[in-house]
Every structure is written in structure tokens, then in C-alpha cells.
Amino acid sequence: MVERMQLSPWQRNVIACMEQVVDLNTVLLSGGRGGGKSYLLLYVILRQIIENGDGHRGVLIRTDLAGLMKLESMLMDYVPMYLPGSKYFKAKRQWQCSNGARLNLIHQSDATSFNKLQGEDLSHVYIDELTQFPDPQTVLRIRSSMRTIDKRVRPLFVATANPFPHGWWCRDYIVTKSRPGRVFNCELFGGVPTVWFKSTLRDNPHLANPDQYEADLKASAFGDESRARAEIFGDWAGSAAGFFGTALSESRNMLPADLVLPMQGVMNGVYGPINQRKWVWLGGDWGTASPAANIAMVEIVDDGVEMGGKHIPRGSWVCFDEVYCCGVQQDGSKEWNRGDRTLTTKKFAEATRDMLQRWGMVFSDVGRRRTIMDSAVTAQLGFTAEKWSAPVTLANDFERYGLKVTGSPKSSRAVGWQLMKRLLNGADRGEPGLYISERCESLWKTLPYCIADEKNPEDMEKMAPDHSADAVRYVLTAANQRQHGWRQSNPQHADAFWRGLTA
């Protein structure tokens, strides 16, 4: 026999906060696994159904069918207990409650599934595992149906969330804006009163053996510390069981912002600015709907190079500065996976020029063959009216403003990612490595939230915030193929990269 619902102290605190804030619009129940978030979500649903009666028009959404069926089963236990006479139409996945309230259960696996809600008037939206949505776009579309003509009813959005898998956007828009349990106005949702709560398995007194469950969660992470922290402690800071896993480490890969580019290739004690600039590359990823990035990198071709207090072996790479053009929230925070619609090729080129000037360089110091961007920039979009022999490409448009670029060479994404992983893992271990300055904020903000593609684990999921990662990969791939830069005209250093990797 199913017992009536009993709340833990953490769950009671959440309910108390929701009761105190009259105009509360959005509630996020976040944290690790086993904390009782989904159970509390069901309690909130039942409470809202009972309180709002026939004014309740709600929807419960989950992206995976198995998870939705589990919630469906739990509702079939509890709804008849609290609201006798309620009917569930399984074919429609719809509850018609005895007090006139309605609740639809929807399996929404992608953005196109929003059509199920188009035109609906929803007073309440409930989402289990919010971070299974790769970005907030679909969630915002769902929220656009939150409206009611019943003045007695207060629209409410309640969701549960783990930092894994797509926790980056909940972190940036919600978690970092306020402390747990403190109400704030969330700009992502139009400035409405919002609050988030955090729980761990230790907040759930109903777990029979929490120590064993914690050990099982840690084992399931299979050595991925970031995933273990996310699932056990609900840690948003280093979450997501990243695609790069433990290969990425602040202690090993991070260099301070106040770097000095090394003098390399010095012969007979004679050196000059060229010895700093000759091995600088630019890796770019263009976009306006999505962010645009240009990462400045220097290749290490000498032995005994010291940077930021670390010994950098030959064959290593250092990302020392960046341009990152993305959307900005009203409080000035960057939106790491949303583009800047006002961006133009001119603005991007000027921002890149300003970055190079910080290091005493100009475009010609890097040159076309060491400025690598997504191959899409060289795609022909037509021909100019004045001169049919001049194709219209983004590369030609960049060149108008001095930024001469080469399209990235054709190569397997998976191969490029493996090279990047190998270099990240080699950092500070006496091997060729990939080091990242604190100036490259976008890399540190996004790399931990890039995850593997479920269908192809060797590749990164394309919806991930991978724009800066792509820029780095383009440079490593181009250098790997030895078809770019100074190598063709200076055979003395032609195999420096390979000697470093195989040393």
C-alpha cells in the first residue's frame, strides 16, 4: 500500500519559501542525485492542483521517455489518493482531476516537440531534469505558453536540475545570480522573481544506505572527478563530466594572464621581435547566432622555455589571449553560447587587431597561413557584380579590414579532439602540452561544459559551447598537417612540432 507523501526537512524548507513569496514565478530544485528533487516536484504538482482547482492547466515535461514513465507511475499512485475520482487518459497522457484541474505529461526530446504545446494556455509548467535541454531556447519557447485568464491563479514554473549534462546555461543564468534560497529577478526569464535550491543525497533521510549510494555514484563516474562532484554534491563550479575529463586541470593547464611571449629560434645571440611573433597563430570560429572566437596561440619550438613559472617543453602550445564576441545579459554577464547579432566582420577584425596590438603585433606579423578559421569562411556565396572573377566569401570580407584568413584543413573532428586531449593531458608532466592563460576566459568557462556526443563518443556534442574549443582545434589540425605557417619557407624548423610530440 502506498503511504501518504512525507517531506524531508530540506523539502519542507523549500515549500516554506514558496509560501512566503507571493509573486514567485520560477523555482529551480537543483543539486546532486538522490536528494529528493523529483519527489518534491511531484508534491508541488499535487499541491498546485489542489490549491488552484479548475484554474490549473499544467504540463509535466521530461526529455527521456523512461524518466517520464517513472513519473507517470508515481502520479498514478498519489493523484487518486489525494483527489479521488480523478481520471488518467493514458493514450493522451492527461490527468483530468476531480476538482477540474488538468495535467498533461509530455515527452519532449527536441525543440520540434514544442508543437505539442503551441497555442496552449498553461498556468503551470513542470520540467524534470531541466539540464537535459542543451540550451535555454526550447525552455523559453515552452515558457511562452505560460498564461492564464483566471485572475485567481498565479503562473508558476518549477524544474529540477543536475549540473550534468548541460549545466552551463543554468549555471550562467540562474545559479551564479544568487545564493540558494534567496529570491532574485532572473533576466533570462524576463526579470521574474526566481529562486533556486540545492540538495544532496545527505538531505534525503529516506535513503536506506546513503554511504553505499555515494560510493556507487563515485564509482559510476569512472575516474571523472568533475562528474562525481556534480552528481554527488551538486557542484556547479566544475560540473559536467566534460568531454576532456581529467585531461583539463587548472593546476596543470592554467598560466597567469601576465605572460611574456618567449624569444625562440635565437641564433648566434641575435634576436628581435620576429623571435616572439614568428610562431604565433590565430584560431577563429565565426558566428553571429552563435559566438565568434579568435584565440591567439604560440607554438613552442625551443627547449627550456619558461612561461608563468612553468617549464614548457618543445612541441607545446600556449593559448595566451582571445577575442570572444557573444551575447551579454543585462547585468553585464556574458552568454557563452549565444551569439552577438550586432556583430559584423568589421567589428570582429577590429577586435582581433586590438588584441594583437596588446602584444605589440599587427595582422602581418601572423599572416594568412597562420590565421586559421572554420572552412565555412572560404565557401563561395556568389560573385561580385563588378568583377565576376572575385567570389563572395566571408574570408574576402574579413580581408577588407586587414584580417587575412585560411580555411581550416579537412580533417576528422575526432582526430582533432584527440590531439587536443593528448596535449591537455601532457601539460606540466614533462611532455608537450596545451596551456591556457587566464586571459582566455571563454576556454575556462566553456571547456568543462563540453560533453561527448551520445551517438559518437569520440566526437563532441555539436550543441555544446564549443566555439573556442573549435578555434584551438583548427590551429592544431593545421599545424599537424604541416601545410601552414613558416614551415614551407624555413625548413630548419619544419619538424619541430613532430619532434616535440615524439620526444
Side-chain angles (χ1 to χ4, degrees), residues 12 15 38 47 131 154 163 191 219 283 439 458:
R12 288 197 296 270
I15 296 300
S38 296
R47 189 183 181 105
T131 53
R154 181 190 69 194
R439 280 185 175 271
E458 299 303 318

Side-chain angles (χ1 to χ4, degrees), residues 206-355:
H206 303 295
L207 286 177
N209 193 340
D211 293 334
Q212 181 61 51
Y213 184 50
E214 180 175 335
D216 290 340
L217 287 176
K218 189 172 183 179
S220 72
F222 202 59
D224 190 330
E225 295 178 4
S226 64
R227 180 165 188 163
R229 291 197 306 271
E231 295 194 337
I232 297 173
F233 304 110
D235 182 6
W236 292 90
S239 68
F243 178 75
F244 298 102
T246 55
L248 178 66
S249 164
E250 287 190 10
S251 61
R252 292 187 300 99
N253 300 103
M254 182 177 283
L255 293 178
D258 57 344
L259 295 176
V260 176
L261 295 182
M263 292 287 181
Q264 301 188 84
V266 176
M267 301 181 66
N268 301 322
V270 179
Y271 61 88
I274 191 173
N275 296 99
Q276 287 182 304
R277 304 168 183 171
K278 195 172 184 179
W279 292 276
V280 170
W281 296 64
L282 288 174
D285 190 48
W286 170 253
T288 55
S290 58
N294 227 345
I295 308 296
M297 305 171 61
V298 61
E299 183 179 7
I300 305 302
V301 298
D302 279 359
D303 289 316
V305 171
E306 296 286 337
M307 294 183 72
K310 294 182 184 290
H311 173 78
I312 312 294
R314 181 180 60 196
S316 298
W317 290 83
V318 176
C319 303
F320 62 89
D321 208 344
E322 71 174 13
V323 169
Y324 197 80
C325 302
C326 62
V328 179
Q329 299 179 52
Q330 291 188 11
D331 64 0
S333 303
K334 292 183 178 180
E335 300 179 288
W336 297 105
N337 207 30
R338 188 170 73 87
D340 177 4
R341 290 290 191 177
T342 68
L343 184 65
T344 63
T345 52
K346 180 181 179 181
K347 289 182 180 179
F348 189 66
E350 289 175 344
T352 303
R353 180 195 62 204
D354 293 343
M355 175 188 67

Side-chain angles (χ1 to χ4, degrees), residues 25-41:
N25 175 272
T26 300
V27 179
L28 178 67
L29 308 174
S30 78
R33 294 176 61 182
K37 302 185 300 296
S38 296
Y39 186 87
L40 178 57
L41 178 65

Side-chain angles (χ1 to χ4, degrees), residues 366-407:
V366 182
R368 185 194 302 272
R369 295 193 64 77
R370 281 182 283 129
T371 303
I372 315 298
M373 292 188 71
D374 184 351
S375 58
V377 303
T378 60
Q380 293 190 13
L381 307 176
F383 293 88
T384 59
E386 298 83 4
K387 189 176 181 181
W388 286 97
S389 60
V392 175
T393 66
L394 282 170
N396 287 344
D397 210 30
F398 282 124
E399 192 168 348
R400 291 172 181 263
Y401 311 105
L403 180 59
K404 300 179 180 180
V405 306
T406 299

Side-chain angles (χ1 to χ4, degrees), residues 299-303 313-316 422-423 430-433 495-503:
E299 183 179 7
I300 305 302
V301 298
D302 279 359
D303 289 316
R314 181 180 60 196
S316 298
R422 182 173 12 141
L423 289 169
E431 305 171 8
D495 294 319
F497 179 78
W498 290 100
R499 289 200 309 270
L501 285 181
T502 58

